[in-house]
Amino acid sequence: MAAFLQWRRFNFFDKEVVKDPETSQTYDKLKDINISASVSGRGQLIFGDHDGYLHMLNRELQINSFKAYEIRVSHLFQMKQHNLLISIGEDEQGVNPLIKVWNLEKMEKGIPNCTRISRAIPANKPTPVTCLAAHECLNWMAVGFENGSVIVLKGDITKDRHSKSKVVYENSKPITGLAMKTSGKNIILFVTTGGSVISINISAKQEQKTTLEDFGCCSSCSVMTDHTQDNQLVIGRQDAVYFYQPDGRGPCLAFEGEKLQLHWFRGYLIVVGKENKGLPRAPILGGQTLEMNIVSVYDIQNKFIAYTAPYADVISILCEWGSVYILSGDRKLYHLQEKDTQTKLEMLFKKNNYTLAISLAKSQQYDQDGLIDIFKQYGDHLYGKGDHDGAIDQYIKTIGKLEASYVIRKFLDAQRIHNLTKYLQALHKAQQATEEHTTLLLNCYTKLKDVNKLDEFIMTKDREVDFDVETAMKVCRQAGYHKHALFLAEKHQKHEWYLRIQLEDNKDYQKALEYIGKLEFDEAEENLKKYGKMLISEVPQQTTELLKRLCTDYRPIDRPLIDQVNLDGGIPRIQKASAEEFIHIFVSNSPRLTEFLEHMIKVQPNSPSLLYNTLLELYLHDIVHEKDISAKTDKVRKTEDLLKNPEAKYDLDQALVLCQMNNFKAGILYLYEKAHLYQQILRYHMEHDDYVYVIDTCKKFGAQDSNLWVQALSYFARKEENCKPQLMDVLAHIDKKNLLPPLLVIQTLAHNSTATLSVVKDYIIRRLQLENDQITEDERLIKQYREDTEKKRAQIEELKTTAKIFQAAKCSICNHPLELPSVQSFPSTGTKIFQAAKCAFHPLELPSVHFLFRVSKIFQAAKCSICNHPLELPSVHFLCEPHSFHQHCFESYAENDSECPVCAAENRKIMDIIRAQEQSKDLHEFFHNQLERSQDGFSVVADYFGRGVFNKVTLITDSPTRQRTGSRTSSRLP
């Protein structure tokens, strides 16, 4: 039995006899043609005959024939990428082959243009041509001869002028086949004879010949494959079909039997072989018997026979228009049409030949969805047969297209955990797995207790992650595989998961703390806030040390102290957390909190007030509960140092409350003094009846708050025991500072039964003497003010009724002589400008007389009151002294036009006193009203004393005349 029969046979081609489209009868227009050569390509079938004609058959089966040679056509070659036909034939008797190149695109009267005619004679030795080949680049053409020679024509094959021929091979046996192939930059020529297969690099400067085989093939038994088989040379022999590359032989397929022709069509190898059966030859050809040939179509890639059938004496096989045309010896033209891919697949499905179907679909570039459907059907077929291992292999190929639940449900029902595990692994590898798939796979591992597989899936360091990490950690943790969960958490930097497993499952607090110390700043801060309370409870000292680093200058513990930034001369970035955010985690460990806070305020004195407040509270708490005297003394010292530290930023009010709650006397008194709460210091000593400290407080802070002595007097006055020394001391200071009226002092002491007259005798006598002296002084001032008032009234009357002589010759500001015109000002009438330059008879000179409302005013001042220079006109005179000024001096120094610059300061002081008296009048009324409504009149009086309302206001003037308000008169005289 022939070896090729081991390949499976299919009928993937439909055979039919070509019909004449005009008559619908069998096409018979080729029956009278004695065909000598044939070729196809560029949309037509071309036949050459023994009469020298070329017959071109188009798709509509119309024939165009023309005379190409005088005797016969022996060889035809159709270019695939160019519409050129190369023919070899004979125009003369004898051996004289001619090469003609026809341009099929340029036709004249149905005849293509012949672009080249050249003789095919090797080394001037006439011999018949056996084969022909040309390269698609149109620069190479090869001709083989019966004497074993091969010539290569280099140059444009369409023209004879620049073409050069060269014999590249010589042999004793006839050349049976030629083929060309491009290999990189080289042009390879395959040559076959009856006894060898040779490859020649014809593009090299020196032809490089390589003998590929020591046996050859017959004529028409060699062909070139297409790119699907890497453009190999195929030869057919009795025993097999051989494939060749330029450097050696390739695969070999054992197809036994005599081969007559080899053809290539779309990945198929078409072999025409002999069969022993005979048929009577058509009568028109002389009644001879025709040999039966077997036409077989082999799918080389998929290893099956796509078609086989007998034909009578096959003359030619042509491939065109996507089909195969077979011309048989009875001159019938047969058409082989390949079935479509879906039809072929259905045929394979019916025979359950899914493996071949898959291979066929791939070779036909079947779309991915179609392939997935084949894999699914194949998988279902195998699953139905019970071949679960084979079925899962097919289902794995559907990943990404077929819904995974379809497969998972099948194998869950069949309880085939091993197969399901394999599918889930492939699902993860294809990165198509969801969280549920990861969970299911890990559950399969744990159920099978396959730790090795679990290690391979999770703990392989260089393995690409193809699953959801958090899901894997969750499943491993639930199944008790904490080691695997920790590995994943650490590898993928799932810090929260790592810490949860270490703290909640493994209870390994030390490793958890070490892991936090290796994290970046943000992660370390976040996790210490989250787990700090637990860690302080279990590993307090180590946690405290880590917190110190975190809140000062943090860097991961595994990072070098000097990194690349330091080496490059850059300033390292300091990262530190807010210490106040970690106070709450020390809730169960006060000593560690104290240590932490002491460290923070030592390295960062500008720490927030919360740290100082908390540390103070801890100190006070320890003082209260400390039993050891020595330790308690030490804690008191530390507390006082903290309070008195000038850099400490504790909140004063909160610190005071803490000291009061813990009855820390030293702290209370220090904070009172720091806050200037002297009344509270005094009250504190009064509450504890510390007489000495009461007096000392008044002496120490009496200058800042004089009411302390008043409070002390009231305090000692309420005491029934003998406080005479203290009262005497207090009264002495009250008397010295005049803090209280004597009446109030006596009323205050009246409540004390131990306060005798001897206590206040000296005080009363001194106060009465002072009052008498004050009364005497007041009477003197009253008399003085009355006299000044009368003088002022007389002066005002004089100004209103009599003339004022201005005889100053100089300005009162610049002291230069005054010149006319001059300006005089009066308070009731405003400024009067006198610019008369002459008397009734003569020019005016100073002194001069001016009349205002029928009253004459004489201005005879000679100097300016400012500069003390002789007056020159214009000048300004004021009625207050009088004062006289140059006009330019007055304008430079006066603040307004109606006020004397010399008297302005004194006048302003008097006006301020008047306004203060008016305000005090209203204040006194308000004081009396408030005193009447208040239940504690003493506190109201003390408040007003503190505000200085009752302080005496005394006006002391050098001259009563300075209290006058000036008036001015201006005149302008030449």
Side-chain angles (χ1 to χ4, degrees):
M1 185 177 181
F4 72 88
L5 295 179
Q6 298 175 6
W7 285 21
R8 303 198 63 170
R9 293 170 177 266
F10 300 97
N11 187 16
F12 286 163
F13 285 82
D14 294 325
K15 171 187 175 183
E16 62 180 9
V17 179
V18 177
K19 303 289 186 182
D20 191 332
E22 296 178 356
T23 63
S24 298
Q25 299 299 317
T26 300
Y27 187 77
D28 59 355
K29 293 181 180 180
L30 298 175
K31 66 180 181 178
D32 296 328
I33 299 175
N34 190 7
I35 296 174
S36 59
S38 61
V39 74
S40 63
R42 308 298 296 183
Q44 56 189 353
L45 307 180
I46 303 175
F47 301 94
D49 63 13
H50 287 275
D51 297 325
Y53 282 90
L54 287 178
H55 308 276
M56 294 183 291
L57 183 67
N58 62 19
R59 193 163 190 177
E60 287 76 24
L61 302 182
Q62 296 173 348
I63 293 181
N64 177 32
S65 301
F66 65 93
K67 186 77 170 177
Y69 292 90
E70 294 298 328
I71 298 178
R72 71 184 182 98
V73 178
S74 61
H75 296 82
L76 294 174
F77 187 91
Q78 172 70 54
M79 307 297 294
K80 293 182 175 58
Q81 299 177 11
H82 307 277
N83 203 2
L84 295 175
L85 175 66
I86 304 173
S87 66
I88 296 179
E90 299 168 359
D91 281 346
E92 301 173 357
Q93 292 294 332
V95 180
N96 190 19
L98 292 177
I99 302 172
K100 293 185 179 182
V101 179
W102 308 89
N103 188 347
L104 302 181
E105 291 184 350
K106 295 181 178 180
M107 307 285 289
E108 289 186 14
K109 299 179 180 181
I111 300 175
N113 182 22
C114 182
T115 64
R116 173 176 181 164
I117 300 176
S118 62
R119 295 185 181 275
I121 300 175
N124 295 321
K125 297 177 181 179
T127 180
V129 174
T130 56
C131 50
L132 170 66
H135 196 275
E136 293 295 330
C137 69
L138 303 181
N139 285 324
W140 301 91
M141 183 166 55
V143 181
F145 297 91
E146 192 175 81
N147 65 357
S149 300
V150 176
I151 64 170
V152 171
L153 289 84
K154 182 181 179 182
D156 190 351
I157 65 174
T158 63
K159 299 177 182 180
D160 186 32
R161 180 176 302 175
H162 302 292
S163 179
K164 296 180 180 180
S165 64
K166 181 179 181 182
V167 177
V168 297
Y169 181 75
E170 289 181 327
N171 189 32
S172 60
K173 294 183 179 181
I175 305 300
T176 58
L178 293 175
M180 288 189 180
K181 173 183 178 178
T182 301
S183 178
K185 295 182 179 180
N186 298 318
I187 306 297
I188 305 298
L189 174 65
F190 289 102
V191 179
T192 64
T193 67
S196 62
V197 179
I198 302 97
S199 68
I200 306 174
N201 185 356
I202 59 176
S203 61
K205 291 182 179 180
Q206 296 294 332
E207 290 84 3
Q208 300 173 0
K209 301 180 180 65
T210 303
T211 301
L212 305 178
E213 199 71 80
D214 292 332
F215 55 81
C217 63
C218 300
S219 180
S220 302
C221 287
S222 65
V223 70
M224 286 289 292
T225 67
D226 59 14
H227 67 280
T228 61
Q229 291 294 323
D230 198 20
N231 297 105
Q232 299 181 78
L233 175 69
V234 186
I235 68 169
R237 290 177 56 83
Q238 179 74 26
D239 57 342
V241 173
Y242 298 89
F243 291 78
Y244 295 94
Q245 291 284 7
D247 55 352
R249 190 172 78 178
C252 171
L253 301 177
F255 301 152
E256 294 183 356
E258 184 179 355
K259 283 81 176 174
L260 302 177
Q261 296 179 33
L262 263 63
H263 301 274
W264 189 265
F265 169 71
R266 288 185 175 181
Y268 294 106
L269 178 63
I270 303 175
V271 178
V272 179
K274 279 189 176 183
E275 189 179 52
N276 294 326
K277 295 180 181 180
L279 289 175
R281 190 177 289 272
I284 61 171
L285 296 179
Q288 300 176 359
T289 59
L290 300 179
E291 293 182 354
M292 294 300 297
N293 298 148
I294 298 296
V295 176
S296 300
V297 181
Y298 297 96
D299 189 322
I300 301 300
Q301 181 175 350
N302 300 307
K303 303 293 189 296
F304 67 86
I305 302 173
Y307 175 81
T308 182
Y311 288 86
D313 198 6
V314 175
I315 297 174
S316 179
I317 293 181
L318 303 172
C319 303
E320 190 61 31
W321 306 308
S323 302
V324 178
Y325 292 86
I326 301 174
L327 180 62
S328 64
D330 57 3
R331 295 303 189 270
K332 289 183 180 180
L333 188 63
Y334 295 92
H335 176 211
L336 294 184
Q337 178 67 45
E338 185 181 8
K339 299 179 185 293
D340 63 87
T341 304
Q342 186 61 37
T343 303
K344 291 188 284 187
L345 292 176
E346 290 175 357
M347 294 171 62
L348 294 173
F349 292 158
K350 290 178 181 179
K351 297 181 179 182
N352 293 325
N353 200 335
Y354 293 96
T355 304
L356 188 56
I358 294 168
S359 177
L360 178 64
K362 288 181 178 179
S363 66
Q364 299 288 330
Q365 286 79 44
Y366 212 51
D367 66 289
Q368 188 66 20
D369 292 336
L371 282 173
I372 294 300
D373 186 61
I374 298 174
F375 294 142
K376 174 182 174 297
Q377 292 184 52
Y378 191 19
D380 292 343
H381 171 70
L382 295 175
Y383 184 85
K385 290 172 58 178
D387 185 3
H388 297 97
D389 294 339
I392 207 67
D393 290 337
Q394 298 305 315
Y395 287 133
I396 287 173
K397 298 176 182 178
T398 66
I399 290 175
K401 296 293 183 180
L402 180 63
E403 179 62 39
S405 59
Y406 174 84
V407 180
I408 294 172
R409 187 164 50 247
K410 280 179 173 291
F411 287 90
L412 279 177
D413 295 341
Q415 297 184 352
R416 302 288 298 183
I417 297 179
H418 289 87
N419 300 122
L420 180 60
T421 302
K422 183 178 181 180
Y423 178 77
L424 291 171
Q425 286 175 334
L427 201 64
H428 282 81
K429 189 174 183 179
Q431 297 184 346
Q432 296 292 327
T434 63
E435 295 182 10
E436 291 77 12
H437 297 149
T438 302
T439 304
L440 183 57
L441 176 59
L442 293 174
N443 283 330
C444 289
Y445 286 149
T446 56
K447 188 173 182 180
L448 294 172
K449 299 188 183 302
D450 193 345
V451 180
N452 293 331
K453 281 289 185 181
L454 190 61
D455 290 345
E456 181 183 350
F457 183 74
I458 289 179
M459 302 188 72
T460 303
K461 291 185 178 180
D462 298 330
R463 181 178 182 272
E464 183 180 357
V465 178
D466 49 22
F467 54 86
D468 184 77
V469 176
E470 291 198 6
T471 303
M473 289 189 294
K474 186 186 301 181
V475 175
C476 290
R477 187 183 179 198
Q478 291 173 351
Y481 290 88
H482 299 148
K483 176 183 175 183
H484 299 78
L486 280 175
F487 176 83
L488 286 174
E490 187 171 9
K491 178 180 178 182
H492 299 283
Q493 297 185 348
K494 301 293 183 180
H495 309 313
E496 182 179 358
W497 277 92
Y498 183 91
L499 294 173
R500 285 170 60 185
I501 295 169
Q502 288 285 32
L503 295 174
E504 299 174 10
D505 300 331
N506 294 345
K507 307 295 183 184
D508 195 340
Y509 305 102
Q510 183 62 39
K511 284 189 177 180
L513 190 64
E514 292 174 358
Y515 185 82
I516 293 176
K518 296 177 183 178
L519 299 179
E520 293 297 327
F521 172 76
D522 293 334
E523 288 85 1
E525 180 183 21
E526 180 182 357
N527 285 289
L528 271 179
K529 288 179 181 178
K530 188 172 185 178
Y531 301 108
K533 191 176 295 185
M534 182 189 301
L535 293 171
I536 280 292
S537 177
E538 300 297 336
V539 280
Q541 186 59 46
Q542 296 88 332
T543 307
T544 304
E545 293 300 325
L546 179 58
L547 279 173
K548 290 179 183 178
R549 288 197 301 113
L550 184 69
C551 297
T552 51
D553 182 8
Y554 178 79
R555 67 177 60 241
I557 196 171
D558 56 351
R559 182 177 298 175
L561 294 176
I562 299 178
D563 53 16
Q564 191 61 39
V565 176
N566 302 101
L567 295 176
D568 295 340
I571 300 176
R573 179 186 175 191
I574 297 178
Q575 292 180 306
K576 57 183 180 180
S578 300
E580 61 267 25
E581 296 181 3
F582 296 94
I583 293 177
H584 68 282
I585 70 175
F586 292 92
V587 65
S588 59
N589 199 327
S590 297
R592 297 281 77 78
L593 177 58
T594 303
E595 177 187 345
F596 174 66
L597 294 177
E598 287 177 343
H599 173 78
M600 291 308 303
I601 64 174
K602 180 180 179 181
V603 299
Q604 296 178 6
N606 60 340
S607 296
S609 61
L610 179 60
L611 270 64
Y612 285 97
N613 295 339
T614 306
L615 183 58
L616 177 61
E617 184 176 0
L618 291 171
Y619 281 167
L620 294 173
H621 180 270
D622 292 343
I623 291 173
V624 172
H625 295 85
E626 184 60 59
K627 303 299 182 183
D628 186 9
I629 300 300
S630 177
K632 187 171 186 176
T633 302
D634 184 61
K635 294 183 185 302
V636 169
R637 179 187 57 79
K638 291 172 66 176
T639 307
E640 291 179 350
D641 291 343
L642 177 64
L643 289 172
K644 295 178 181 179
N645 183 3
E647 295 181 344
K649 293 186 177 182
Y650 54 80
D651 183 80
L652 190 62
D653 294 335
Q654 186 172 348
L656 187 56
V657 171
L658 291 173
C659 291
Q660 290 172 342
M661 290 174 60
N662 293 277
N663 196 24
F664 186 58
K665 178 180 178 181
I668 295 173
L669 295 177
Y670 174 77
L671 293 173
Y672 278 157
E673 181 179 352
K674 185 175 182 179
H676 306 293
L677 300 176
Y678 309 124
Q679 295 280 350
Q680 281 76 357
I681 297 175
L682 184 64
R683 189 173 294 112
Y684 181 85
H685 292 310
M686 288 178 178
E687 291 174 355
H688 293 81
D689 293 329
D690 292 334
Y691 297 161
V692 176
Y693 287 112
V694 170
I695 299 299
D696 290 344
T697 301
C698 292
K699 290 180 179 179
K700 186 175 181 180
F701 306 112
Q704 287 85 358
D705 189 355
S706 58
N707 285 330
L708 295 177
W709 291 105
V710 178
Q711 297 288 345
L713 178 65
S714 177
Y715 166 73
F716 287 119
R718 292 194 299 270
K719 294 296 181 180
E720 294 299 329
E721 59 265 24
N722 186 9
C723 299
K724 182 176 180 181
Q726 289 80 8
L727 284 173
M728 295 291 289
D729 200 356
V730 173
L731 282 175
H733 282 83
I734 292 177
D735 183 24
K736 183 179 179 180
K737 302 292 183 180
N738 192 20
L739 301 178
L740 279 178
L743 182 59
L744 287 178
V745 172
I746 295 173
Q747 289 177 349
T748 302
L749 294 176
H751 300 290
N752 192 333
S753 59
T754 61
T756 59
L757 183 60
S758 61
V759 175
V760 295
K761 176 181 177 182
D762 295 336
Y763 169 75
I764 293 175
I765 292 173
R766 284 195 304 273
R767 297 307 301 174
L768 291 176
Q769 184 62 42
L770 290 174
E771 292 293 337
N772 288 333
D773 294 343
Q774 184 65 41
I775 290 172
T776 302
E777 178 63 22
D778 290 344
E779 289 177 350
R780 185 189 67 78
L781 290 175
I782 291 171
K783 181 179 178 182
Q784 178 181 339
Y785 289 155
R786 284 177 178 172
E787 291 175 355
D788 289 344
T789 301
E790 291 299 326
K791 289 180 181 180
K792 292 297 180 182
R793 286 175 178 170
Q795 188 177 3
I796 291 171
E797 185 64 27
E798 180 183 359
L799 291 173
K800 290 181 178 180
T801 58
T802 62
K804 184 67 175 180
I805 299 174
F806 294 87
Q807 55 186 358
K810 294 183 178 181
C811 174
S812 299
I813 295 177
C814 67
N815 206 26
H816 288 126
L818 289 172
E819 296 177 355
L820 292 180
S822 60
V823 182
Q824 293 82 32
S825 177
F826 297 91
S828 60
T829 60
T831 301
K832 300 298 182 182
I833 300 175
F834 302 97
Q835 50 187 346
K838 295 182 179 180
C839 181
F841 304 100
H842 299 284
L844 288 175
E845 296 179 359
L846 291 179
S848 59
V849 179
H850 305 275
F851 285 89
L852 302 174
F853 300 103
R854 302 192 185 107
V855 178
S856 63
K857 299 296 179 184
I858 300 174
F859 305 107
Q860 54 185 357
K863 294 184 178 182
C864 175
S865 299
I866 294 178
C867 65
N868 204 27
H869 290 137
L871 287 173
E872 296 176 357
L873 297 181
S875 59
V876 180
H877 306 275
F878 278 88
L879 303 179
C880 51
E881 190 60 32
H883 291 122
S884 300
F885 309 94
H886 292 106
Q887 187 177 17
H888 62 83
C889 291
F890 174 74
E891 292 174 350
S892 299
Y893 287 90
E895 295 182 2
N896 55 68
D897 293 342
S898 61
E899 191 172 17
C900 174
V902 177
C903 301
E906 193 66 31
N907 293 340
R908 194 176 298 111
K909 188 185 296 183
I910 295 174
M911 293 304 296
D912 290 342
I913 293 173
I914 293 173
R915 283 193 292 270
Q917 289 176 347
E918 291 177 353
Q919 293 176 358
S920 298
K921 179 183 68 174
D922 299 334
L923 187 62
H924 294 161
E925 293 176 358
F926 181 75
F927 165 71
H928 286 293
N929 293 333
Q930 188 176 1
L931 188 63
E932 291 174 0
R933 293 193 300 270
S934 176
Q935 296 180 356
D936 186 5
F938 180 77
S939 62
V940 176
V941 174
D943 179 51
Y944 274 79
F945 263 109
R947 291 159 55 186
V949 174
F950 301 119
N951 292 345
K952 183 177 180 181
V953 179
T954 304
L955 176 64
I956 301 175
T957 59
D958 296 335
S959 175
T961 58
R962 294 294 179 92
Q963 302 174 23
R964 303 169 184 167
T965 301
S967 302
R968 83 172 188 169
T969 301
S970 71
S971 64
R972 296 175 182 232
L973 298 177

